[in-house]
Structures are given as C-alpha cells and as structure tokens.
Amino acid sequence: EPPKSKRDKAQLHHQLRDFMSAGPEERLKAIEICVKWGDKSVLPFLRRGLKDSDSRVVITSASGMQQQKNNIPLDQENLPPRNVALMR
C-alpha cells in the first residue's frame, strides 16, 4: 500500500535506503517495494538496482523501469519536443 503522508513517504525512503545497503535478499525486497509503489520518487533506487551484482535485482529493476516508462501521463503524451522552438 503506498504511503499516504509525507512522513510515511520519508520513512519508506529511509527503509529503502537501508535495504539497498544490505545483502542481496534485502536489495531485492527493496526493488520489489519500489515496483509495487510505482512512484517517480523511487527511480533512483531502480537505477541503482540496474547496476546490482545480483541478477534477480537487475531483472526486477528493469521491469520496474519499464513500468515507469509506460506510465506517461496523457497530458505529456501529446506535447511537442521541448526544443521545438529550435526546429522552426
């Protein structure tokens, strides 16, 4: 269940940092939490997981990154590129 308040969010981030500093099982658990949460604020953890020595962590991080990539808000989907002014 995603955190509801800023304090809960900060506590979860702290817990994820601790898990990422521990052994491979804890890192895998942290990445699985990040994937289930699906918030943009967990992207640094997912990126770090892509460079992990445990292949299970890398695979789980990659699937989480793919989910994040596919969750583009509809209002951003139709916008022109940011450098459109330079193209004219």
Side-chain angles (χ1 to χ4, degrees):
E1 181 175 314
K4 294 183 181 3
S5 68
K6 287 185 179 185
R7 182 177 182 183
D8 292 341
K9 188 175 179 179
Q11 286 177 341
L12 182 60
H13 273 273
H14 183 70
Q15 185 180 17
L16 290 172
R17 266 193 308 263
D18 290 344
F19 281 159
M20 291 300 285
S21 305
E25 294 299 324
E26 289 82 8
R27 292 193 306 266
L28 180 61
K29 183 178 178 181
I31 296 299
E32 288 172 347
I33 292 170
C34 292
V35 170
K36 287 179 186 174
W37 186 7
D39 190 57
K40 285 183 180 182
S41 64
V42 298
L43 284 175
F45 296 109
L46 294 174
R47 282 190 209 109
R48 185 173 169 192
L50 290 174
K51 301 173 188 172
D52 199 88
S53 60
D54 188 354
S55 62
R56 297 175 301 162
V57 175
V58 174
I59 291 169
T60 308
S61 292
S63 69
M65 292 292 283
Q66 187 65 33
Q67 284 179 359
Q68 287 288 332
K69 187 177 181 181
N70 291 338
N71 287 339
I72 299 172
L74 293 176
D75 58 340
Q76 289 183 355
E77 210 172 87
N78 298 327
L79 291 176
R82 290 187 349 194
N83 61 350
V84 73
L86 300 174
M87 295 169 52
R88 294 181 181 172

